[in-house]
């Protein structure tokens, strides 16, 4: 995980981002909410969005919905939406699924001066062997099941990243409460 990941005292919104906001980012949103609920961490707002406009208004992909139901994670109806500049201002962390998402996030947002944008698998355990290798960087990506059809593999990668992210948030929450402050 990158050393420049920051969590401030005021903002606690985590935003997951993928291409269309119907497969990977909503899967990550609902998995992460489930993990936070299991850990009793209640002071985070979790949502998701897209970098493209292709799926705006559409609900979660049926494959994502089926996979989440299979593992007992609730998946609410929602509408895909595209990221906005206010999302950047309001979010503590913006978590992308692949390097193409990073490229488009930086193009849409005009950069990442506050170092809020990260790949989800940055948070996976160092020995995690899943994910897809990329020519773009050393951190692996999460494959898009829209193209692969493999929602099981995507779920495994998202779960690994979200578990690490939940650990990161729990550690920061504990450190902040021991110091007498907020996250």
């Amino acid at each position: 995980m990158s050393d420049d990941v920051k969590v401030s005292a005021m903002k606690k919104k985590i935003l997951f981002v993928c291409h269309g906001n119907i497969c990977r980012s909503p899967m990550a949103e609902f998995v992460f909410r489930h993990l936070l609920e299991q850990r009793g961490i209640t002071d985070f707002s979790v949502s998701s969005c897209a970098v493209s406009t292709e799926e705006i208004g559409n609900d979660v992909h049926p494959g994502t919905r089926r996979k989440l139901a299979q593992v007992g994670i609730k998946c609410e109806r929602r509408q895909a939406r595209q990221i906005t500049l206010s999302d950047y201002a309001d979010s503590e962390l913006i978590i992308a699924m692949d390097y193409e998402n990073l490229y488009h996030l930086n193009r849409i947002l005009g950069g990442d001066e506050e170092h809020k944008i990260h790949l989800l698998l940055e948070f996976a355990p160092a020995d995690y062997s899943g994910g897809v290798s990329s020519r773009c960087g050393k951190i692996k990506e999460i494959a898009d099941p829209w193209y692969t059809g493999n929602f099981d593999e995507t779920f495994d990668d998202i779960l690994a990243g979200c578990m690490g992210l939940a650990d990161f948030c729990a550690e920061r929450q504990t450190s902040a409460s021991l110091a007498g402050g907020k996250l």
Side-chain angles (χ1 to χ4, degrees), residues 6 22 37 44 58 64 78 82 88 94 123 138 168:
K6 299 175 185 173
I22 61 168
E37 185 178 295
F44 283 90
N58 291 335
T64 294
R78 51 178 303 290
Q82 187 179 33
Y88 185 83
I94 298 172
F123 296 93
K138 64 181 179 179
F168 172 81

Side-chain angles (χ1 to χ4, degrees), residues 19-31:
H19 182 78
N21 191 218
I22 61 168
C23 295
R24 294 173 293 171
S25 60
M27 184 182 285
E29 173 186 350
F30 294 123
V31 166

Side-chain angles (χ1 to χ4, degrees), residues 14-159:
I14 296 178
L15 182 64
F16 292 98
V17 181
C18 71
H19 182 78
N21 191 218
I22 61 168
C23 295
R24 294 173 293 171
S25 60
M27 184 182 285
E29 173 186 350
F30 294 123
V31 166
F32 194 65
R33 283 183 186 175
H34 180 78
L35 292 172
L36 291 180
E37 185 178 295
Q38 285 182 323
R39 294 166 186 237
I41 300 173
T42 59
D43 54 351
F44 283 90
S45 170
V46 182
S47 61
S48 63
C49 64
V51 292
S52 80
T53 59
E54 293 170 33
E55 299 289 346
I56 289 178
N58 291 335
D59 198 2
V60 174
H61 188 284
T64 294
R65 188 173 296 287
R66 276 191 299 275
K67 183 60 190 177
L68 292 174
Q70 179 185 28
V71 297
I73 296 175
K74 63 183 171 187
C75 178
E76 302 158 1
R77 290 190 59 79
R78 51 178 303 290
Q79 292 186 335
R81 67 178 190 84
Q82 187 179 33
I83 193 164
T84 64
L85 291 174
S86 64
D87 285 320
Y88 185 83
D90 295 341
S91 296
E92 196 60 44
L93 294 172
I94 298 172
I95 309 297
M97 302 297 133
D98 61 35
Y99 286 95
E100 185 178 342
N101 300 156
L102 290 179
Y103 168 80
H104 289 291
L105 282 167
N106 280 294
R107 184 183 56 77
I108 292 166
L109 300 172
D112 181 26
E113 290 183 21
E114 297 181 48
H115 306 287
K116 296 178 177 187
I117 302 173
H118 301 274
L119 287 171
L120 181 55
L121 287 181
E122 281 182 52
F123 296 93
D127 62 348
Y128 181 68
S129 61
V132 178
S133 295
S134 172
R135 292 175 289 202
C136 297
K138 64 181 179 179
I139 298 166
K140 290 187 176 181
E141 301 176 302
I142 297 173
D144 191 341
W146 173 261
Y147 301 104
T148 68
N150 192 338
F151 287 85
D152 294 330
E153 184 177 284
T154 296
F155 175 81
D156 292 343
D157 292 343
I158 285 174
L159 181 61

